[in-house]
Each structure stands twice: as structure tokens, then as C-alpha cells.
Amino acid sequence: MRFSWDDRAFIATLLRDPGQYGLDTILAGRPVYTDAQYFDDWLGVSGDQVDTALIKSITRRSHGTTAWMRAFGQRWVPRPDPLPGDVPVVFEGGGQGLQARNFAEFERLGGTVHYDSTVTDIERLSGDRFLVRGTGGTFPVVCDALVLASGGFEGDPRARERHLGGQWRDVKLRGVPFNNGAPLEAAVALGADTAGNWRKCHATPQGIGLPDYVLPRQMHESHLLTRYAFPLGIVVNREGRRFFDESAGYSNLTYVSLGQKIMEQPGRIAFQIFDGKVLEAGALPLGYLGDPAALTVRSLEEGAERLGIDAVRLRDEVDRLNKAGGDPVSPVADVSVRTPKRLESPPFLFVPVVSGLTFTYGGLSVTTDAQVRGGGKPIEGLYAAGVIVGGLYDEGYPAGTGLMAGAVLGRAAGTAAAGHAARTGGN
């Protein structure tokens, strides 16, 4: 989860046993990460069609929200195998650990969780109340305030095809297959305004062993399939051509752009290639070295022939790269494609990668207090947080901002919904 911090002492407060770790090593020369830096990083890759006021409010509240989560029992650990620019700490136990602590705290406070209960419809009743229908014995439910905190439509092949395009119908998911967009559609049918880019999504480069979808108990295994070390080498398609700017910025700011572009390549596959200097330095995460689909070869031609890459074009591309001192402009890309790395020392590691879809960008329009808009005005009693919220991303995605947005808006929505219900004397 990406958040701002004003000094190293704050990072220490997030760790269960800060004395166990060296803060200098964790921070890797980044003693602070300001709200302004956070905001600039977000806007630098998100694209133009975003709600800048909403994004600024999230970045400004990220520090306080992180401290609030710490007070409710969340804990962090140093990020394993960090790449340059990575967020220095991650949740203890990963996303599964995060949610286990969330559910435990929710139930300790008296909350009740109803499983196998899918929302299918929301109706506005008189007195600004809501009737929620769905499957399972939980429904129907009548409430005075309602917080929608669901995913988008990423789990529905037909919705992906309709909004994202035909190539996305059979894409592999980096998460569960259950987010079919039903709460989102129900809110839109109720009159909620939409926001965000409905034709784009969060998709990242993954090892070809990624399953069709990933269940919570498999999340740890899925982390080994991430392929975010591409700035250390080059990325080519089956034609042997580079199609992506590997050095456009830290990989955690550009990895989603690469994931999106892989879906446009022949066979919807790409290949990350690293030379002997990178391998000798031990710079690659463990997942790369243990990938059964990866090849270590003595020549570029051997790797290309064994993986079905155009060897002649690959050799031309690499020769052009090396001749230009590691900083060429590709003649086939729609933008200047540059890299600071030469590729000249054997052995070479070829790693096939595919795209894994995490979540969709299109969602509901909300205020900075997480209130859903309808007809341009806030809808009394209706709030949203999480992936169901739109307006945060148009093109790229800075790593860790989705969780932060969910936390900030979830906190705001819960507070506002409780206040609204209290004023109306209901639920």
C-alpha cells in the first residue's frame, strides 16, 4: 500500500519489531516520501481523464489513514526482494494477512459477515432509504445508509469483452473470479454517475504459469509469478521487436502499462531478456530464476529459436541497441522506446510473460467523502469505496494506490454512513 511518510521514525512505528530490521536498508536512501511526491507520481502515470481533487485528497490522507490502520492492529514488514523505487514496507502476511486482521477486528467490534450473499439489485425507497436484494438468506435488507465496497466487472468475461475489447475475454485474472460487476450495475441502474476509463484496466506482466484465476489461499504462490524486473533488460514480442519503454520510470510506476501492451502483441505474449551481467549481480527476484518456462542460453539466437521468436529481427534490435550505447529509439514503436541497458554478455535469460488482469478502472463517481453522485449531486446515504470507485485511473497505475484509495475512502464512507444513519435513526 503506497502512503506518504515524513520521517524514518514513522516507518518504524508500522513494524511489529522495528529493532529487528535496519531502517536504512529498508528505506534505501528515501528518508521521506511527501504528499507532493505521491501526488506527482500518481498523476505522472495515471493519464489525464481522472478526478484530480479526489486523488489529491487520497494522497493527503494517506499518512493519517496508515496510522489509523496501525492503531487497529495492522502490521507491516520490509518488502522482500525490493526493486528500485518500491514501497519500502508491505502488509505482514500479504493481502490475506491484511484481510484476516480486518475481519477479526470487524467481528470484535460487533459486525456480522454474511457469506454466499450476492447483491443483485438496489432500490430507493421513500425517506431516502435503500432496499437491497440479492441471493441467499440475508436479503432483502432495508437500510438508511449503504456503503458499496465491491470489485468491478473484471470477473465477467462478457463484460470484459463489451467494455475492454474482445482480446480481454479470455485473459487470466490475478484475483478471484467472483467480481462480476453486479453491485456496480445495480448502482448505475439506481441513477449513480459513472467515472473513470471503462475501456482500460489494471493488468501486469506475469509468468505464463499464472492460472486462470487466483483464490485467496493461492495468493502467496501468485506473488512468485510477478515479472516486474523488466527495467534490468529488454522486452520483445514474437517478432523480436521491442514495443515498450523499459526505462520510462520505476517498474512500480510502469508495470501496468506493460501489462496492457502485452495484450496488443502477437499471441498476447512477450519475452523479457536479461544478460549475464544482470544474472551475475543477482538482481532478479527469485520468481524469475525458478520459472520452469524460462530459458538460460548461450546466445540470443538459441533463445529466440527455442521460444518461437524471430531471431533475425531480435538480433537486429539488440545490435541497434548496443551500437547506440544502450539508448536507441525503436523505429517500430508509436513512441520513443529507450533503455539504459546494453544486452551483450552471455548467458542470456529469456522469460516468457503474459498479462494478468487485476481490476477494471470504470466505476462510480464519488465525492472526496466517498458519497456517490447521481445527476452530478451527492446521493443521500449512498457511499462507495474500493475498485467500484471510478475516476482514479485513466491509463497507467502507480503500485499500491488501489489499496490506499480503498482505505481512505472506506474510512470516510464508514464514518459518513454511520453519521447519516444516526441522524435518520436507522441502520
Side-chain angles (χ1 to χ4, degrees), residues 128-129 355 378:
D128 291 334
R129 307 183 84 199
S355 183

Side-chain angles (χ1 to χ4, degrees), residues 204-361:
T204 67
Q206 301 288 308
I208 63 173
L210 183 72
D212 290 339
Y213 55 84
V214 181
L215 296 176
R217 64 179 179 272
Q218 301 169 315
M219 291 301 180
H220 176 71
E221 299 173 17
S222 76
H223 293 163
L224 295 175
L225 294 166
T226 59
R227 299 292 178 260
Y228 302 163
F230 51 85
L232 302 176
I234 67 171
V235 185
V236 302
N237 59 20
R238 281 208 182 276
E239 297 173 347
R241 299 187 186 278
R242 295 167 64 220
F243 59 91
F244 176 76
D245 186 349
E246 301 99 334
S247 64
Y250 291 134
S251 61
N252 68 14
L253 296 177
T254 60
Y255 70 134
V256 168
S257 297
L258 175 55
Q260 294 168 349
K261 284 185 175 294
I262 289 173
M263 295 296 290
E264 302 170 2
Q265 306 311 308
R268 300 202 290 272
I269 191 171
F271 305 87
Q272 297 179 9
I273 308 175
F274 309 90
D275 74 358
K277 293 179 181 179
V278 173
L279 299 181
E280 184 178 351
L284 294 175
L286 293 177
Y288 277 83
L289 305 179
D291 189 339
L295 295 178
T296 302
V297 294
R298 296 301 304 174
S299 70
L300 292 170
E301 288 77 8
E302 179 187 354
E305 291 169 4
R306 290 176 62 179
L307 290 172
I309 304 169
D310 189 313
V312 174
R313 285 180 176 169
L314 175 61
R315 169 51 68 184
D316 288 344
E317 194 83 349
V318 173
D319 286 347
R320 186 184 305 113
L321 166 69
N322 293 340
K323 183 178 180 180
D327 196 21
V329 177
S330 169
V332 297
D334 56 352
V335 295
S336 294
V337 176
R338 310 170 75 86
T339 180
K341 300 293 180 185
R342 293 182 183 226
L343 200 70
E344 53 189 357
S345 302
F348 299 98
L349 178 68
F350 282 67
V351 183
V353 291
V354 296
S355 183
L357 192 158
T358 314
F359 65 87
T360 45
Y361 287 172

Side-chain angles (χ1 to χ4, degrees), residues 41-270:
D41 281 346
W42 195 321
L43 291 191
V45 298
S46 63
D48 297 330
Q49 302 302 311
V50 293
D51 187 336
T52 55
L54 181 60
I55 293 172
K56 179 168 284 189
S57 75
I58 291 169
T59 58
R60 285 179 173 174
R61 288 182 282 179
S62 69
H63 184 281
T65 299
T66 304
W68 172 75
M69 295 177 71
R70 168 65 171 78
F72 275 99
Q74 290 298 344
R75 294 295 183 272
W76 286 255
V77 295
R79 187 182 189 91
D81 298 324
L83 292 166
D86 275 344
V87 177
V89 292
V90 296
F91 285 109
E92 185 179 68
Q96 193 166 344
L98 161 72
Q99 286 295 68
R101 291 186 290 272
N102 279 342
F103 277 96
E105 180 66 14
F106 178 70
E107 292 175 331
R108 187 188 70 81
L109 293 171
T112 302
V113 181
H114 298 273
Y115 296 95
D116 296 318
S117 303
T118 303
V119 171
T120 59
D121 179 62
I122 305 170
E123 181 181 345
R124 192 75 176 271
L125 303 178
S126 60
D128 291 334
R129 307 183 84 199
F130 299 93
L131 171 63
V132 184
R133 300 186 181 90
T135 60
T138 305
F139 300 106
V141 171
V142 175
C143 55
D144 292 271
L146 177 62
V147 179
L148 301 175
S150 76
F153 57 84
E154 58 271 14
D156 185 344
R158 292 173 298 178
R160 294 198 303 265
E161 183 175 34
R162 181 169 71 252
H163 294 295
L164 304 177
Q167 73 271 31
W168 294 92
R169 181 181 176 88
D170 299 319
V171 69
K172 296 184 177 186
L173 301 178
R174 291 187 61 226
V176 299
F178 311 123
N179 293 321
N180 63 4
L184 176 58
E185 292 180 1
V188 172
L190 185 70
D193 295 339
T194 61
N197 190 336
W198 286 67
R199 300 201 63 80
K200 288 283 186 177
C201 62
H202 180 295
T204 67
Q206 301 288 308
I208 63 173
L210 183 72
D212 290 339
Y213 55 84
V214 181
L215 296 176
R217 64 179 179 272
Q218 301 169 315
M219 291 301 180
H220 176 71
E221 299 173 17
S222 76
H223 293 163
L224 295 175
L225 294 166
T226 59
R227 299 292 178 260
Y228 302 163
F230 51 85
L232 302 176
I234 67 171
V235 185
V236 302
N237 59 20
R238 281 208 182 276
E239 297 173 347
R241 299 187 186 278
R242 295 167 64 220
F243 59 91
F244 176 76
D245 186 349
E246 301 99 334
S247 64
Y250 291 134
S251 61
N252 68 14
L253 296 177
T254 60
Y255 70 134
V256 168
S257 297
L258 175 55
Q260 294 168 349
K261 284 185 175 294
I262 289 173
M263 295 296 290
E264 302 170 2
Q265 306 311 308
R268 300 202 290 272
I269 191 171

